[in-house]
């Protein structure tokens, strides 16, 4: 069976787009071929900075013939209905249709539509231009004549000519060859914007720019290898990583690995060559995080550390796209100059952030507002953040107003979390101060971390310094939680203020869109409460984070019961996701979680207890006994059957119903006592003892007695079972 080789070669594709683009190309092409009736044995995508490549093996040479029978109207149907059927089937007259008789429906027309198969070459040539024209690049561009105004492109005739091609970078050539593994291949010469697909590609831009004629993937890949192009991106990553490790080790160092940087660098080179540069040791006085980000962001280089040691070394590792004749000396020298210049800037930021601001006299009012000490650099920056009225969100006020809200809420949360209120207050006030530092201005990724360093330098409590860094955490399901209770408290306050604020202005996540990362914030709250075992009455806390009170006079702001319950429901959704990821069954979560539940830790504990109990013999008894009673009661309620408000002992006629009532009272009492102690398993065990009296009740008692009062009383018995078990879970939602 024939194979297909496709290469789209262009100028440099941004590294961050390459992997996804290659995957998109594979999916788009294979989907289009399958939809056209072809099949294939396997497909693999490749990419380099200058090309997207697709290797499809075992493609069928021709699509299968198709035969379709399309049923039409009855032969005596109105003429217009018959004409519409003929048009849809592509028939010119009824004589081309068959007449089929049905004993019940009479005679009706049937069109037999035959579609002959098509050669794979024809299908490929047909689908490829559309795929290329409509390729889903995040950003694309026009170039050359296509970038000129429309009228100029087409000799002054506005609107004439095809839609010009948009591609991520100028597309330079297309390879499209097709054929069996051991025979001659053929070019499928489709054309797009003046480019015609052929069998010619080009190697490395500098080392081997000559044309290369290819037939199939094997000689294509080997020819590119000889022409200094390493086609497999994962192999490039592996070469870079191992060469960098080896080079570092040879110099008595360890490579500080960075998967994101490795992915990016492998997308910048077609023929990786690893080199080592250095900078002056005096720059090591700068925090390691700043050095690492400076070198990574500006030069895409890796940093190193002494073997078995801490901190950084003054050597860095860079990856070149060429093998220089001088062994890379000039490349290393050039990169070193840039690194030194950037580190000089970074040292300037680091030093300035530790000094006094020039306009201290303008910060006095803000300092009083937040109890700040203007002798301390970080306090000055917080005062400056407030004095400048830096906007947090147009509808939610300034950063200063937000800090005040977080501070107030953190004070209410401190006793619940068990944190020192004074330390919490200090941490809340300084948490956002590093937003006005020059280091964070240059590297926003360092917010929090730089605040911790500056707080430590000015003598803040270790808990306060740690909380300044940690109040941003956790930033995802795998990120660590804050270190101690002070950090936990400020992190909770920060996230809750964010969520209440954006709910107040109706800026909730919709579908896949979540521009303010509110799902992440809610998941962070869930993780803090559950993993640090914090009992927080969430609904009352949301009321305490009252945006209305904080931003009086802003008409766009609105918090009411409906909004808060909607936000509580959002927390429930995040809780479900978290518990399911932890292995909990969805039906058990639904059985425990009520719309009003706002103690998420207790919900999780109930789910945990129910999960362990439901598969035991007692659990099976509880589920069976409860379901039978609750289902019968629900059916009668649906019919409108009267159910007594309570059980009347005077109307209990039979021993079985008397025994059931006695068992219900005992089980309810024992379960209530267990729940008060938060011992949910014992509560379930107490309720499971209802199984035997429930079974006997259904064997000996006719619920739907002719006497309406007795019937209502017996249904009240079933209602009492539902109410008793409902204190633990809604067992009707559990899949048995």
């Amino acid at each position: 069976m024939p194979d297909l080789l496709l290469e789209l070669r262009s100028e440099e594709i941004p590294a961050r787009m390459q992997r996804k683009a290659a995957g998109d190309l594979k999916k788009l092409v294979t989907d289009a071929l399958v939809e056209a009736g072809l099949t294939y044995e396997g497909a693999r995508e490749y990419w380099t900075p200058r090309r997207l490549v697709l290797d499809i093996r075992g493609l069928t040479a021709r699509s299968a013939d198709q035969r379709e029978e399309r049923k039409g109207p009855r032969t005596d149907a109105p003429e217009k209905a018959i004409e519409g059927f003929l048009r849809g089937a592509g028939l010119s007259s009824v004589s081309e249709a068959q007449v089929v008789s049905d004993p019940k429906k009479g005679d009706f027309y049937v069109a037999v539509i035959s579609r002959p198969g098509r050669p794979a070459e024809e299908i490929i040539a047909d689908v490829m231009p559309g795929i290329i024209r409509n390729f889903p690049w995040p950003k694309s561009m026009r170039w050359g004549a296509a970038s000129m105004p429309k009228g100029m492109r087409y000799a002054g005739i506005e609107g004439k000519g095809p839609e010009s091609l948009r591609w991520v970078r100028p597309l330079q050539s297309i390879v499209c060859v097709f054929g069996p593994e051991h025979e001659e291949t053929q070019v499928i010469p489709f054309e797009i914007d003046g480019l015609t697909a052929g069998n010619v590609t080009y190697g490395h831009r500098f080392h081997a720019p000559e044309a290369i004629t290819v037939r199939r993937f094997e000689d294509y890949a080997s020819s590119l290898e000889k022409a200094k192009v390493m086609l497999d991106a994962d192999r490039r990553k592996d070469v870079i990583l191992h060469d960098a490790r080896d080079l570092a080790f040879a110099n008595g160092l360890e490579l500080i690995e960075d998967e994101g940087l490795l992915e990016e660098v492998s997308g910048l080179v077609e023929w990786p060559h690893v080199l080592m540069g250095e900078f002056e040791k005096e720059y090591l006085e700068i925090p390691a995080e700043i050095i690492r980000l400076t070198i990574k962001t500006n030069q895409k280089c890796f940093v190193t550390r002494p073997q078995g040691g801490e901190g950084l070394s003054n050597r860095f590792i860079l990856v070149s796209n060429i093998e220089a004749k001088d062994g890379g000396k000039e490349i290393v020298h050039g990169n070193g100059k840039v690194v030194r210049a950037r580190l000089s800037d970074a040292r300037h930021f680091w030093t300035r952030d530790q000094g006094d601001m020039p306009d201290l006299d303008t910060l006095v009012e803000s300092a009083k507002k937040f109890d700040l000490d203007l002798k301390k650099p970080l306090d000055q920056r917080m005062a400056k953040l407030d004095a400048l009225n830096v906007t947090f969100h147009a509808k939610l006020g300034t950063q200063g107003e937000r800090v005040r809200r977080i501070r107030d809420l953190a004070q209410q949360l401190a006793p619940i979390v068990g944190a020192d209120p004074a330390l919490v207050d200090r941490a809340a006030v300084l948490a956002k101060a590093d937003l006005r530092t020059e280091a964070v201005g240059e590297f926003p990724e360092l917010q929090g971390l730089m605040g911790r360093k500056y707080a430590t330098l000015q003598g803040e409590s270790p808990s306060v310094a740690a909380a300044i860094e940690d109040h941003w955490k956790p930033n995802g399901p795998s990120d660590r939680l804050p270190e101690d209770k002070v950090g936990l408290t400020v992190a909770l306050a920060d996230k809750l203020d964010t969520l209440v604020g954006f709910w107040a202005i109706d800026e909730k996540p919709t579908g896949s869109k979540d521009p303010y990362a509110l799902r992440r914030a809610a998941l962070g709250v869930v993780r803090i409460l559950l993993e640090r075992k914090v009992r927080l009455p969430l609904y009352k806390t949301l009321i305490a984070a009252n945006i209305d009170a904080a931003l009086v006079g802003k008409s766009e702001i609105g918090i009411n019961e409906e909004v808060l319950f909607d936000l509580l429901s959002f927390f429930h959704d995040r809780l479900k996701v978290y518990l399911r990821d932890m292995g909990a069954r969805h039906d058990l979560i639904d059985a425990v979680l009520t719309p009003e539940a706002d103690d998420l830790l207790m919900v999780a504990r109930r789910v945990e207890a129910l999960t362990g109990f439901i598969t035991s013999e007692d659990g099976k008894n509880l589920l069976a006994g409860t379901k039978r009673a609750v289902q019968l009661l629900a059916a009668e309620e649906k019919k409108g059957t009267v159910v007594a408000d309570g059980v009347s002992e005077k109307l209990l006629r039979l021993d079985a119903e008397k025994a059931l009532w006695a068992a219900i009272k005992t089980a309810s009492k024992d379960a209530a006592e267990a729940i008060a102690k938060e011992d949910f398993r014992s509560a379930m065990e107490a309720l499971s003892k209802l199984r035997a009296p429930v079974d006997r009740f259904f064997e000996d008692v006719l619920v739907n007695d002719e006497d309406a009062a007795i019937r209502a009383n017996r249904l009240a018995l079933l209602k009492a079972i539902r109410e008793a078990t409902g204190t633990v879970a809604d067992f009707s939602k559990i899949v048995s």
Side-chain angles (χ1 to χ4, degrees):
M1 297 176 74
D3 303 329
L4 173 66
L5 169 62
L6 175 70
E7 180 201 66
L8 304 175
R9 189 179 63 87
S10 67
E11 292 187 11
E12 276 69 9
I13 304 167
R16 68 184 184 280
M17 299 183 188
Q18 292 168 19
R19 185 179 291 271
K20 183 179 184 304
D24 287 341
L25 180 65
K26 174 183 171 181
K27 185 176 189 309
L28 290 168
V29 173
T30 55
D31 284 357
L33 297 180
V34 169
E35 187 177 347
L38 301 178
T39 61
Y40 63 96
E41 293 176 356
R44 183 176 175 187
E45 72 275 26
Y46 298 86
W47 62 94
T48 79
R50 300 177 62 217
R51 64 199 83 218
L52 300 180
V53 179
L54 184 58
D55 174 28
I56 301 181
R57 301 294 176 93
L59 193 65
T60 45
R62 184 182 180 87
S63 62
D65 295 341
Q66 294 180 339
R67 185 179 185 277
E68 176 190 354
E69 289 190 2
R70 186 177 299 180
K71 186 177 179 181
R74 285 165 51 100
T75 55
D76 57 356
E79 187 175 340
K80 287 194 176 296
I82 295 173
E83 289 175 356
F85 161 66
L86 294 174
R87 279 197 305 274
L91 305 181
S92 58
S93 70
V94 292
S95 63
E96 296 178 7
Q98 296 181 4
V99 177
V100 177
S101 296
D102 186 304
K104 294 181 179 179
K105 299 181 180 179
D107 295 344
F108 57 90
Y109 290 116
V110 172
V112 178
I113 305 171
S114 296
R115 295 189 183 91
R118 300 166 63 200
E121 299 92 324
E122 182 182 319
I123 293 173
I124 294 166
D126 186 40
V127 303
M128 282 309 307
I131 290 173
I132 295 173
R133 283 192 180 281
N134 301 303
F135 199 80
W137 293 108
K139 291 184 178 180
S140 57
M141 61 181 289
R142 294 189 181 96
W143 60 92
S147 65
M148 297 170 64
K150 212 171 189 182
M152 292 177 65
R153 273 194 311 232
Y154 304 119
I157 305 174
E158 187 68 28
K160 298 290 185 182
E163 180 65 27
S164 61
L165 174 65
R166 295 186 66 91
W167 196 249
V168 63
R169 293 293 185 270
L171 195 59
Q172 296 176 330
S173 69
I174 302 172
V175 169
C176 189
V177 292
F178 179 71
E181 185 177 359
H182 300 296
E183 299 176 19
E184 278 303 312
T185 57
Q186 62 174 302
V187 172
I188 302 179
F190 63 86
E191 188 272 339
I192 181 167
D193 264 35
L195 283 177
T196 301
N199 61 353
V200 176
T201 189
Y202 297 84
H204 192 284
R205 185 189 295 275
F206 305 112
H207 289 308
E210 299 82 12
I212 302 169
T213 301
V214 298
R215 295 177 300 163
R216 54 179 55 85
F217 182 79
E218 281 71 20
D219 70 276
Y220 167 79
S222 63
S223 296
L224 283 182
E225 189 80 15
K226 293 173 185 175
K228 306 294 186 182
V229 174
M230 197 177 292
L231 188 60
D232 188 333
D234 290 327
R235 182 175 159 229
R236 291 199 303 276
K237 286 178 65 174
D238 192 61
V239 167
I240 293 168
L241 180 60
H242 285 87
D243 285 359
R245 285 174 177 168
D246 293 345
L247 183 57
F249 183 79
N251 286 272
L253 304 169
E254 291 179 7
L255 175 72
I256 297 180
E257 297 182 17
D258 184 326
E259 175 61 29
L261 179 59
L262 180 61
E263 174 79 9
E264 183 177 11
V265 170
S266 73
L268 297 175
V269 296
E270 289 193 316
W271 194 250
H273 189 55
V274 174
L275 303 167
M276 178 174 282
E278 67 178 314
F279 54 86
E280 287 72 17
K281 289 186 177 181
E282 64 192 63
Y283 289 118
L284 294 176
E285 298 172 1
I286 307 169
E289 295 84 359
I290 296 182
I291 295 174
R292 185 173 178 178
L293 260 180
T294 298
I295 293 176
K296 171 182 176 178
T297 304
N298 292 292
Q299 288 303 102
K300 312 303 178 190
C301 296
F302 297 86
V303 292
T304 63
R305 60 176 165 240
Q307 287 180 5
E310 295 182 357
L312 299 182
S313 81
N314 66 323
R315 303 283 186 90
F316 62 92
I317 287 179
L318 61 105
V319 182
S320 170
N321 192 35
I322 59 174
E323 290 183 3
K325 294 178 180 179
D326 64 354
K329 290 181 181 178
E330 279 301 313
I331 296 172
V332 168
H333 177 70
N335 276 267
K337 284 179 64 177
V338 177
V339 164
R340 291 184 194 95
R342 295 292 179 263
L343 288 177
S344 178
D345 290 342
R347 182 170 58 183
H348 176 71
F349 300 148
W350 168 244
T351 303
R352 292 223 350 171
D353 286 339
Q354 297 173 58
D356 288 338
M357 304 195 79
D359 54 351
L360 285 181
D361 56 324
T362 66
L363 306 179
V364 175
E365 185 177 342
S366 291
K368 288 180 180 178
K369 190 188 305 182
F370 291 98
D371 304 313
L372 297 167
D373 182 354
L374 290 182
K375 295 177 182 177
K376 298 182 176 181
L378 199 58
D379 291 56
Q380 295 175 23
R381 271 92 190 148
M382 177 57 222
K384 187 69 173 180
L385 184 70
D386 178 69
L388 288 175
N389 290 318
V390 176
T391 299
F392 166 61
H393 185 281
K395 294 182 180 179
L396 292 174
T398 66
Q399 287 284 6
E401 290 171 320
R402 183 164 186 251
V403 169
R404 188 175 69 249
R405 295 198 304 270
I406 292 172
R407 184 185 190 186
D408 292 343
L409 183 56
Q411 281 301 297
Q412 298 181 56
L413 292 172
I416 297 173
V417 178
D420 183 318
L423 296 180
V424 165
D425 187 67
R426 182 64 174 162
V429 165
L430 293 179
K432 307 295 182 185
D434 66 355
L435 294 176
R436 290 305 306 167
T437 62
E438 295 193 39
V440 172
E442 180 72 11
F443 301 112
E445 306 97 315
L446 294 179
Q447 56 191 346
L449 178 65
M450 295 312 301
R452 180 176 191 163
K453 290 187 178 297
Y454 294 134
T456 300
L457 285 172
Q458 70 178 35
E460 300 295 334
S461 157
S463 285
V464 170
I468 292 171
E469 177 184 3
D470 289 353
H471 86 281
W472 295 101
K473 298 183 176 298
N475 272 323
S478 59
D479 192 22
R480 70 171 179 84
L481 296 180
E483 291 177 7
D484 65 12
K485 292 180 178 180
V486 175
L488 288 171
T489 304
V490 181
L492 275 174
D494 179 83
K495 290 170 175 56
L496 290 172
D497 175 79
T498 297
L499 288 158
V500 173
F502 283 105
W503 247 254
I505 62 174
D506 197 25
E507 290 281 359
K508 299 175 288 187
T510 55
S512 61
K513 295 181 179 179
D514 187 9
Y516 303 110
L518 302 181
R519 291 188 180 95
R520 186 172 65 191
L523 179 60
V525 172
V526 169
R527 285 191 59 203
I528 289 173
L529 298 182
L530 270 56
E531 295 176 27
R532 291 293 182 263
K533 297 179 172 46
V534 177
R535 297 286 306 277
L536 181 69
L538 198 53
Y539 185 78
K540 292 180 182 178
T541 305
L542 297 178
I543 294 174
N546 195 328
I547 300 294
D548 284 335
L551 295 176
V552 175
K554 295 198 180 265
S555 59
E556 304 93 339
I557 307 299
I559 282 289
N560 54 40
E561 186 176 272
E562 181 182 352
V563 170
L564 291 179
F565 267 110
D566 185 64
L567 178 52
L568 185 60
S569 175
F570 184 72
F571 276 110
H572 288 174
D573 290 340
R574 296 302 98 198
L575 176 65
K576 289 178 182 179
V577 171
Y578 177 85
L579 292 177
R580 283 199 294 266
D581 287 346
M582 294 295 106
R585 281 170 40 183
H586 71 88
D587 58 327
L588 301 188
I589 300 171
D590 290 340
V592 167
L593 189 59
T594 64
E596 299 80 21
D598 75 339
D599 187 339
L600 303 189
L601 180 60
M602 283 301 98
V603 171
R605 286 179 176 173
R606 285 173 184 260
V607 172
E608 183 181 7
L610 185 58
T611 300
F613 182 76
I614 204 67
T615 55
S616 68
E617 195 59 36
D618 282 343
K620 293 173 184 175
N621 286 336
L622 176 56
L623 187 59
T626 300
K627 276 202 164 185
R628 188 173 181 185
V630 170
Q631 286 172 353
L632 192 152
L633 175 63
E636 293 302 318
E637 286 177 330
K638 191 173 182 180
K639 294 177 189 175
T641 307
V642 175
V643 181
D645 292 335
V647 176
S648 170
E649 295 190 14
K650 294 179 181 179
L651 294 176
L652 299 176
R653 296 284 189 264
L654 303 176
D655 290 344
E657 57 185 332
K658 293 176 183 177
L660 177 60
W661 177 233
I664 291 172
K665 289 191 290 184
T666 300
S668 297
K669 177 177 174 294
D670 292 346
E673 291 174 354
I675 289 171
K677 298 174 185 176
E678 298 178 1
D679 184 354
F680 302 113
R681 187 177 182 91
S682 294
M684 295 177 201
E685 288 172 353
L687 293 168
S688 70
K689 294 171 184 173
L690 292 173
R691 172 69 186 275
V694 167
D695 286 349
R696 184 184 169 198
F697 175 82
F698 282 116
E699 289 172 6
D700 297 353
V701 178
L702 177 65
V703 175
N704 285 320
D705 194 89
E706 293 181 358
D707 186 320
I710 292 176
R711 179 173 64 246
N713 198 56
R714 288 173 178 171
L715 288 172
L717 272 173
L718 303 185
K719 184 179 179 182
I721 294 172
R722 183 172 67 186
E723 290 173 348
T725 56
T727 59
V728 174
D730 183 350
F731 287 88
S732 67
K733 294 182 178 178
I734 298 177
V735 179
S736 54

